[in-house]
Amino acid sequence: MKVDPIEIIINEKNSLNYQSYFISGNEYTLMKRVQETIISGFKKKDKYIVRKVDSLEAVNVSENLFNEKTINVFESTKSIEKNLFKSLDAKENIFIIFSENSPKNKVLKNVFLNERNCCLVDCYEINEKNKEKVLNYYLNKNNLVLDKEIFLYILQNTDNRFAFFEQCLNNIISIKNINLDVVNKLITQDVEGVDRVFFEIFKNNESLIFSYSKKVIDNQGLNKFYYSIRNYCQLVIESETISELENKIPIYLFKEKPLFIKIFKKLDKEKKRGLLNLFHDTEIKLRTLNEFQNILGLRFLLNLKKIIVS
C-alpha cells in the first residue's frame, strides 16, 4: 500500500493501520518528519520502545530477551529479504525501514506496494497542494483564519522542503497580529545563501568561519544550513561512480559540478562513514536545541571540512 506522507502527518491516527513501513524518497526532512509521526503515534497508542536494528536476527534476540513491544528501525535495506515481512504477520512488533532512494530498493518497494500489512511512503519536495493541506491543518489546530491574500502568499513563497516550510508556519502562527507585511518579512528574512558555505569547503578556516558567521544568525538559518549541507553530501556518499553523481546533481547546481566531483574523489569508505556519524551526532544535538547556539553549526562545518579535505 502506498500512502501520501502529508496524510500521515496531518492524520496521525490513520498512519497506525500497518505493521511495516518503508520510508523512502529524496527529501530527507520530510522522511524524518514522517518517521517521527509514526513512532509518536504508536507510543501514544501503547507502551512501545524504539530500537535501531540492522538485521532480523537482532529483532529476534530482542524479543527473546525482553518480550516487549518494539518499533524496530532499519536504516539500511542490506539485510532485509523481500519475504521478511510475510513471516511477521502474527507478531506485534512494528518495523520501519528508513532509506533514501536507491535502485537497490526497487524490489523491496514493490513488496511494500503489494503486501496488505505494509506501507510505502515516498517523500519528495512538497508542492502548493501539499502546502495547502498542511497550512489548513495548522490553522485549524490553532483556531486561526488567514486572509486569502496572505494564505496564497504563504503557499507561493515558502520553501518546498518540509522542515523549513513547517518552521516558517510555526513562526507565522506565533504572531499575534498576522498581516502580509510581517509574513513577508518572516519568509524573506536573510537565510538565503546559507547553503553556499558548503561550496567554500576547500577555502581556509578563517574564510569559512567568516562566511558562516555572516549567514547563520538564528535557529532557522542553522537548520537550513545543516540540512542543505547534509543533502549535498548525501548526493556524493550515495554515488558509486562520477557518472552516477553527475546525474544526481540538480540542474540549479550545475555550476558546482566540479566541486562535487572533487569531493567525490576525496571520499573513501572510511570518510563516508565519518560523515554519516557526524550527521547523526549533529542531528541529535539540533533536535534538543532550545536556543540558538552558533558554535554548534561552526563545529559541524569545521569537522565536515576536516573529514573531506584530510
Side-chain angles (χ1 to χ4, degrees), residues 1 90 204:
M1 175 72 71
N204 61 46

mmCIF file with all atom_site columns, all heavy atoms in Angstrom, residues 1 90 204:
data_model
loop_
_atom_site.group_PDB
_atom_site.id
_atom_site.type_symbol
_atom_site.label_atom_id
_atom_site.label_alt_id
_atom_site.label_comp_id
_atom_site.label_asym_id
_atom_site.label_entity_id
_atom_site.label_seq_id
_atom_site.pdbx_PDB_ins_code
_atom_site.Cartn_x
_atom_site.Cartn_y
_atom_site.Cartn_z
_atom_site.occupancy
_atom_site.B_iso_or_equiv
_atom_site.pdbx_formal_charge
_atom_site.auth_seq_id
_atom_site.auth_comp_id
_atom_site.auth_asym_id
_atom_site.auth_atom_id
_atom_site.pdbx_PDB_model_num
ATOM 1  N N   . MET A 1 1   ? 0.834  -1.188  0.000  1.00 0.00 ? 1   MET A N   1
ATOM 2  C CA  . MET A 1 1   ? 0.000  0.000   0.000  1.00 0.00 ? 1   MET A CA  1
ATOM 3  C C   . MET A 1 1   ? 0.878  1.251   0.000  1.00 0.00 ? 1   MET A C   1
ATOM 4  O O   . MET A 1 1   ? 1.813  1.350   0.785  1.00 0.00 ? 1   MET A O   1
ATOM 5  C CB  . MET A 1 1   ? -0.904 0.005   1.232  1.00 0.00 ? 1   MET A CB  1
ATOM 6  C CG  . MET A 1 1   ? -1.749 1.256   1.401  1.00 0.00 ? 1   MET A CG  1
ATOM 7  S SD  . MET A 1 1   ? -3.094 1.362   0.211  1.00 0.00 ? 1   MET A SD  1
ATOM 8  C CE  . MET A 1 1   ? -4.164 0.049   0.826  1.00 0.00 ? 1   MET A CE  1
ATOM 9  N N   . ALA A 1 90  ? 2.065  -12.389 12.465 1.00 0.00 ? 90  ALA A N   1
ATOM 10 C CA  . ALA A 1 90  ? 1.486  -12.741 13.764 1.00 0.00 ? 90  ALA A CA  1
ATOM 11 C C   . ALA A 1 90  ? 2.112  -11.961 14.917 1.00 0.00 ? 90  ALA A C   1
ATOM 12 O O   . ALA A 1 90  ? 1.678  -12.060 16.051 1.00 0.00 ? 90  ALA A O   1
ATOM 13 C CB  . ALA A 1 90  ? 1.627  -14.237 14.015 1.00 0.00 ? 90  ALA A CB  1
ATOM 14 N N   . ASN A 1 204 ? 40.344 28.309  3.336  1.00 0.00 ? 204 ASN A N   1
ATOM 15 C CA  . ASN A 1 204 ? 40.944 28.186  4.664  1.00 0.00 ? 204 ASN A CA  1
ATOM 16 C C   . ASN A 1 204 ? 39.896 28.399  5.759  1.00 0.00 ? 204 ASN A C   1
ATOM 17 O O   . ASN A 1 204 ? 38.814 28.938  5.505  1.00 0.00 ? 204 ASN A O   1
ATOM 18 C CB  . ASN A 1 204 ? 42.125 29.144  4.830  1.00 0.00 ? 204 ASN A CB  1
ATOM 19 C CG  . ASN A 1 204 ? 41.723 30.610  4.685  1.00 0.00 ? 204 ASN A CG  1
ATOM 20 O OD1 . ASN A 1 204 ? 40.739 31.061  5.253  1.00 0.00 ? 204 ASN A OD1 1
ATOM 21 N ND2 . ASN A 1 204 ? 42.490 31.362  3.903  1.00 0.00 ? 204 ASN A ND2 1
#
